[in-house]
């Protein structure tokens, strides 16, 4: 995470709102030879204290986490390259703007008997955002197919202990320089969700309110 305090002023509820909206991140934990990383969907509760996820049994993390284990879930928002020419100010350098949140905490194995409830909570979280499409549930699967699928995965509960967010949006530049970069970045081929990033750069400084976040992200 970038250490500049100018990029780390967003309140915890904004960082949690991003994580809840995204629902996808990198699960990272230490291992003997090197860190282990898995890209996982997750369901973060309304309080922002607990996230549920599952892993295929053959995943090295699933094999390793047989008891409470410290780990991090890293969630990425929009990002993009910033050319110094866009500031229309001399003596500037290239940089990269981005939004990211790290959830630090402890990963706990869940009782396998709770797998179906977990799957329904996870699917309801995402299916509910596809309205007016009817919500998919595990009831739409045959018992045999569902049982075969559930035997291949394991459920986990992530206890959130710390929320660390960086919203690097040129807050350290003048309003004019930031606005120029924001308009240019919306047209840039370098980055991810550059339209959203440009909107946040101009509409979210010095602080991004929750309504704006849910509109942009």
């Amino acid at each position: 995470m970038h250490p500049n305090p100018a990029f780390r002023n967003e309140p915890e509820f904004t960082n949690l709102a991003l994580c809840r909206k995204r629902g996808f991140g990198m699960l990272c934990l230490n291992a003997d030879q090197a860190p282990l990383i898995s890209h996982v969907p997750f369901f973060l509760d309304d309080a922002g204290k607990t996230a549920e996820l599952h892993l295929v049994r053959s995943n090295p993390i699933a094999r390793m986490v047989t008891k409470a284990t410290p780990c991090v879930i890293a969630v990425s928002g929009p990002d993009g390259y910033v050319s110094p020419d866009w500031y229309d100010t001399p003596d500037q350098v290239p940089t990269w703007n981005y939004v990211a949140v790290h959830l630090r905490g402890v990963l706990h194995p869940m009782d396998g008997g709770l797998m179906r409830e977990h799957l329904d909570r996870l699917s309801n979280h995402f299916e509910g955002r596809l309205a007016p499409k009817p919500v998919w549930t595990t009831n739409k699967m045959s018992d045999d197919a569902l049982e075969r699928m559930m035997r291949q995965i394991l459920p986990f509960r992530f206890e959130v202990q710390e929320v660390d967010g960086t919203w690097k949006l040129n807050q350290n530049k003048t309003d004019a320089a930031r606005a120029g970069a924001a308009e240019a970045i919306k047209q840039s081929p370098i980055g991810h969700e550059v339209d959203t990033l440009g909107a946040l750069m101009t509409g979210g400084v010095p602080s991004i309110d929750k309504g704006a976040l849910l509109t942009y992200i």
Side-chain angles (χ1 to χ4, degrees):
M1 292 299 219
H2 200 291
N4 190 332
F7 308 144
R8 307 184 70 170
N9 288 325
E10 291 308 317
E12 183 173 285
F13 74 78
T14 304
N15 290 316
L16 291 172
L18 170 68
C19 295
R20 193 174 294 110
K21 186 81 170 181
R22 289 291 187 188
F24 188 79
M26 292 185 294
L27 175 66
C28 315
L29 55 82
N30 291 327
D32 291 338
Q33 295 183 339
L36 297 177
I37 302 174
S38 287
H39 300 258
V40 296
F42 62 88
F43 168 66
L44 180 64
D45 68 5
D46 291 340
K49 299 299 184 182
T50 302
E52 291 185 24
L53 58 97
H54 60 267
L55 297 166
V56 65
R57 286 179 178 271
S58 58
N59 188 302
I61 293 179
R63 295 199 299 265
M64 178 178 173
V65 180
T66 57
K67 60 182 180 180
T69 304
C71 66
V72 177
I73 297 179
V75 180
S76 295
D79 70 88
Y81 172 77
V82 181
S83 170
D85 292 336
W86 297 342
Y87 298 133
D88 197 24
T89 304
D91 299 326
Q92 302 294 314
V93 296
T95 191
W96 206 284
N97 281 357
Y98 66 94
V99 176
V101 178
H102 292 175
L103 302 176
R104 300 181 183 276
V106 179
L107 189 64
H108 301 265
M110 290 173 60
D111 183 346
L114 300 175
M115 175 57 76
R116 183 163 185 170
E117 295 177 24
H118 157 72
L119 291 175
D120 280 333
R121 280 192 292 270
L122 187 69
S123 62
N124 285 343
H125 173 65
F126 295 106
E127 287 281 325
R129 291 160 57 183
L130 299 178
K133 174 190 175 300
V135 174
W136 182 93
T137 71
T138 52
N139 289 329
K140 292 189 175 183
M141 297 184 67
S142 67
D143 290 341
D144 287 346
L146 179 60
E147 181 62 30
R148 286 196 303 271
M149 186 271 292
M150 290 197 300
R151 284 199 299 267
Q152 299 177 42
I153 55 180
L154 293 170
F156 294 86
R157 176 177 60 86
F158 177 70
E159 176 190 353
V160 180
Q161 297 180 334
E162 182 180 344
V163 181
D164 187 14
T166 292
W167 298 67
K168 187 173 178 295
L169 304 170
N170 285 140
Q171 294 98 320
N172 57 337
K173 304 299 182 185
T174 65
D175 289 347
R178 187 170 59 246
E183 287 307 309
I185 209 168
K186 292 177 184 179
Q187 310 303 319
S188 174
I190 307 173
H192 172 70
E193 296 189 2
V194 290
D195 281 342
T196 298
L197 183 63
L200 290 173
M201 287 168 64
T202 54
V205 178
S207 182
I208 302 162
D209 65 39
K210 190 174 183 180
L213 170 72
L214 296 180
T215 298
Y216 292 136
I217 299 299

